[in-house]
Amino acid sequence: MRFQTTRLTLREVSLADLAAIHELLSLPETDQFNTLGIPENMEATAQLVMGWLQETKALQRNAYTFSVELNSSHQFIGLIADQSEKLGGIELCINIG
């Protein structure tokens, strides 16, 4: 699944995003508002991402997690997740740097 505007692309996460996701989730600024907390290591982030990838294969999906990237540079700038059925809300995590 993919959504595109003139400036941004939202696409489902992939393993190729692992390092960027780990970096984003490891930022103290992200941790202030993130319900996931700072991952202990890259392996913990990989387990999280693998869970998101498993969700994409479910017959009845309850969650969606997208990577957000700039169209101009294809740079990863964050995540947006609809976990509303699981957590009761949508989370937006963007790294503007």
Side-chain angles (χ1 to χ4, degrees):
M1 193 176 309
R2 175 184 289 269
F3 303 97
Q4 194 164 358
T5 69
T6 55
R7 294 183 54 222
L8 300 174
T9 296
L10 280 66
R11 58 173 175 70
E12 293 196 83
V13 295
S14 72
L15 279 179
D17 300 317
L18 181 59
I21 291 170
H22 182 72
E23 182 180 340
L24 175 65
L25 296 181
S26 296
L27 294 171
E29 306 91 89
T30 302
D31 187 48
Q32 282 184 301
F33 306 101
N34 183 10
T35 59
L36 300 172
I38 293 178
E40 188 174 315
N41 53 37
M42 185 69 79
E43 178 62 31
T45 305
Q47 289 177 359
L48 181 66
V49 172
M50 292 302 290
W52 295 339
L53 293 175
Q54 285 294 338
E55 188 67 40
T56 66
K57 299 173 185 168
L59 293 177
Q60 183 174 347
R61 291 183 67 175
N62 295 318
Y64 299 84
T65 305
F66 297 94
S67 291
V68 181
E69 62 182 38
L70 294 172
N71 291 335
S72 60
S73 63
H74 301 288
Q75 177 189 0
F76 173 93
I77 61 167
L79 297 168
I80 187 167
D82 177 358
Q83 304 276 326
S84 54
E85 290 194 32
K86 288 183 176 181
L87 303 175
I90 295 175
E91 289 192 345
L92 174 63
C93 183
I94 297 180
N95 176 17
I96 300 174

